[in-house]
Every structure is written in structure tokens, then in C-alpha cells.
Amino acid sequence: MLMIEKPGLQTSVQDLGRPGFQQFGVVAGGAMDTYAHRVANLLVGNSETCASIEAALAGPTIRFEADSLIALAGGDLSPGIDGKPVPMWRPIAVKAGAVLTFGQPVSGWRVYIAVAGGIDVPEVMGSRSTYTKARIGGLEGRCLEKGDTLQTGKPSILAKHWAEKALSKAGDRKFCAADWSVSDELVPRYGNEAEIRMMKGPQHHWFDGESRSLFFNGTFTVSSESDRMGYRLKGETLRLSEPRELLSEGVVAGAVQVPSGGSPILLMADRQTTGGYPKIGQAATVDLPLVAQMKPGAKLRFREVSVEEAQQLLMQQKKELAELKLAIELKMKGV
């Protein structure tokens, strides 16, 4: 069991979301940075679909009521246990009574805390993800609060044995981190600027030539009004070549809508199910986790790629995650 001593900022239970219900008006939701969420789960022997804790900017304070195996991935928010720094992107066995805290953000915006066995909250439409606007999923459909307790599921046998072995070597320390981690090649680099691979949207041809050029050659700034629903971008005004109306149609994560004011909105995890604004672009799925780690004020540039290239990039990432899962299992077995 985990006790939330301080909630942090926008701390919630998330998994990979609840796809398949958009036709009923239910948003997909889920982790903003699906890559960090997946890797954190793999590091503690979980399925990628297990629920983790997502926190933005200011992390929570969590007391572990039992010996546990955890992993932290995503943004570096200066994590520590009982006042001692703990590493990111590797398994960490913690003793009962250990307290996980966070400090100043070093890089990135969102951190994911995975616990062996996953966060065990009731499923709603096949998902444990929190969607606060509809008050569904997670813990009572809301962000975590001081005094909340979270149960965890049953850890895998391999994770349980590795944690027990690690803690036997911890001595008086409250935790023991693995002496290995995810390779540098697989750890994203978060900064104040990023290039996002982008396909043309279904209404790309509706925009005038200057706007189409500015979209792929200009720089956009992440607005402070950005949230889990979408990132509002500031930059050059994008205009249609002529006044046109669009009937509402289904939208997906990464779609870049352009309202009448001309400032684009890049849709994220908690996006609406349908939209009636023209879509000038569609971000490659593989780059959405990087967008999720961009702070307000960060700069985004878009590089055009084909649908085929975007698909290949996603397939390559899936292959890397499968190889990472196998490597983690071998490490835990001591191979």
C-alpha cells in the first residue's frame, strides 16, 4: 500500500487509456508520456498496460507501507528517498516506511512512478486511467490528495525475488537501486526546444501557401494555457485560403487543429472525441511523448514526414521496447 503524504501537482493514476469508446463520447485519456509510462512498468516487471502514477512539475510525497519495487521514468524532478537522491530509469527496491519525495525540476515536465504489480484501482471501461472532467477512473475520478492510500497488485515472481535480493544487501539504507539502467540511447533528452515529426493533416490543403510554409518552417511556443487536453501554440497566425466550414469529425492524439483565431492546438491524451476545426497537421505518434514533456515557453518545430515513415518509426519503437523487456528480464535473472 502507498500513502500520499503530499499530492504534488496534477498527480493521478494513469495507464494507456480507454480506446474504443469515442463513438460514445468517452475520451481515450491515459498517460501523456506513454513511452516513459511503458518503460517504468517494464523496469518493475509489469505489463506496459499496468497503471502508474503520473505527476507534473511538482512531484508528490509517497510513503511505502510495505517493501516495494519501483521505477521512475520521464521528467527528472529531483527524486529522493529519505533525503538521498535516487536514480531514474532503473529498478529501485524500497523498504517499508521509505518516503519518496521530489524537488526542483531538472528536465522534462512529467514523471511516472511505477510499482511492481501496478496501481490497483477499479477499472472503468477497461482502463484505470483518471479522467477528471468526467470523474471516472483512477481514485474516485480525481487527482490524488493528501491522505489517499493506493493498493498495488501482485508483483511478478521475478520482480518479487529481485527486490528481496536487493533489499537483503541494503543494510541500514531505505532503498537499493539496480547497478544497471536503461541504455542512454533509449532515454529521451528533454530540453526547451524540440523537433516534432509531422504529417500533413486532412485539411492541410485548405490553408493558404504562406500558412502551409510557416507550419513546417516556423517555430511555435508552448502556451501556459496548455493542458492534458491539448497544447496551445503561439506563433505565426495560420489562415485558410478561403472561408470554409467543416462538419465535426473524429480526432486522434497528435492532430493539430486551427481555430478561427489562427493559433494551432496540438491535441493530447484528454482530447475531445470530435472536432470541427480544420486540421493542418498530424504529429507522429512516436513523438507525442516528447511533446508531453515540453514546459510552457518551450519551442517546437515541425518536420514533415510521410505516413509510411511515421509508421516505421512507431514499429521501430515497439521493437526497441520488446528488446528492452527481454533485457530487463535477463538482468533480473542475473544472466
Side-chain angles (χ1 to χ4, degrees):
M1 187 170 68
L2 288 68
M3 170 72 73
I4 306 300
E5 295 191 344
K6 292 182 181 179
L9 183 66
Q10 297 178 3
T11 304
S12 62
V13 177
Q14 299 293 343
D15 58 18
L16 294 178
R18 48 181 61 85
F21 295 93
Q22 285 198 182
Q23 66 267 39
F24 305 115
V26 180
V27 305
M32 285 280 280
D33 182 344
T34 54
Y35 181 80
H37 164 85
R38 290 175 189 270
V39 173
N41 270 314
L42 293 179
L43 285 167
V44 295
N46 290 346
S47 161
E48 297 173 27
T49 61
C50 284
S52 68
I53 297 174
E54 175 187 276
L57 186 61
T61 297
I62 301 175
R63 178 180 295 275
F64 296 91
E65 302 294 338
D67 292 352
S68 304
L69 178 63
I70 69 171
L72 310 173
D76 183 352
L77 306 185
S78 300
I81 292 179
D82 290 357
K84 296 182 179 180
V86 293
M88 304 277 297
W89 304 95
R90 69 181 66 194
I92 306 168
V94 299
K95 292 182 178 179
V99 178
L100 173 67
T101 60
F102 294 87
Q104 292 294 319
V106 176
S107 64
W109 184 248
R110 291 178 170 85
V111 65
Y112 291 81
I113 307 160
V115 184
I119 304 300
D120 188 13
V121 293
E123 286 190 358
V124 178
M125 288 174 274
S127 171
R128 294 181 168 87
S129 280
T130 308
Y131 180 48
T132 57
K133 291 184 179 179
R135 303 285 291 186
I136 62 173
L139 186 64
E140 301 175 358
R142 58 171 171 79
C143 289
L144 300 180
E145 299 174 356
K146 181 180 179 179
D148 284 341
T149 57
L150 294 171
Q151 301 289 338
T152 59
K154 186 177 180 180
S156 68
I157 294 175
L158 183 60
K160 186 173 184 292
H161 287 173
W162 188 90
E164 290 173 348
K165 184 178 180 181
L167 289 179
S168 69
K169 302 176 181 178
D172 295 333
R173 294 176 298 159
K174 283 289 189 179
F175 70 93
C176 180
D179 58 5
W180 51 269
S181 66
V182 176
S183 66
D184 289 343
E185 292 80 7
L186 296 180
V187 176
R189 296 292 179 262
Y190 308 127
N192 293 321
E193 296 185 5
E195 181 179 81
I196 305 302
R197 288 163 286 199
M198 183 79 60
M199 296 161 282
K200 292 178 179 176
Q203 289 84 40
H204 179 267
H205 61 287
W206 284 19
F207 291 83
D208 62 33
E210 181 181 10
S211 296
R212 295 198 300 267
S213 177
L214 287 170
F215 182 69
F216 282 115
N217 296 291
T219 299
F220 295 89
T221 302
V222 177
S223 166
S224 59
E225 298 176 40
S226 302
D227 55 21
R228 282 182 50 88
M229 183 175 179
Y231 273 39
R232 295 181 178 271
L233 307 178
K234 298 185 293 184
E236 297 290 343
T237 301
L238 304 179
R239 295 184 174 87
L240 298 175
S241 57
E242 61 182 47
R244 301 184 72 166
E245 299 244 346
L246 175 68
L247 293 176
S248 289
E249 58 185 16
V251 294
V252 297
V256 181
Q257 291 188 328
V258 183
S260 57
S263 295
I265 303 173
L266 200 164
L267 300 183
M268 298 297 286
D270 286 354
R271 64 199 176 276
Q272 71 276 22
T273 58
T274 62
Y277 295 129
K279 294 172 285 295
I280 191 172
Q282 173 66 48
T285 301
V286 73
D287 281 348
L288 287 179
L290 186 57
V291 177
Q293 295 291 352
M294 295 293 105
K295 305 174 185 178
K299 307 293 184 182
L300 297 180
R301 297 180 306 279
F302 303 134
R303 177 168 68 84
E304 184 178 357
V305 296
S306 66
V307 174
E308 292 75 18
E309 185 176 351
Q311 291 173 333
Q312 290 171 1
L313 289 167
L314 186 59
M315 290 174 63
Q316 177 62 29
Q317 185 186 76
K318 290 182 176 180
K319 179 182 177 183
E320 291 172 351
L321 286 171
E323 292 173 349
L324 176 63
K325 179 181 179 180
L326 178 59
I328 290 170
E329 291 174 351
L330 293 175
K331 281 289 187 180
M332 285 189 168
K333 289 178 181 178
V335 176

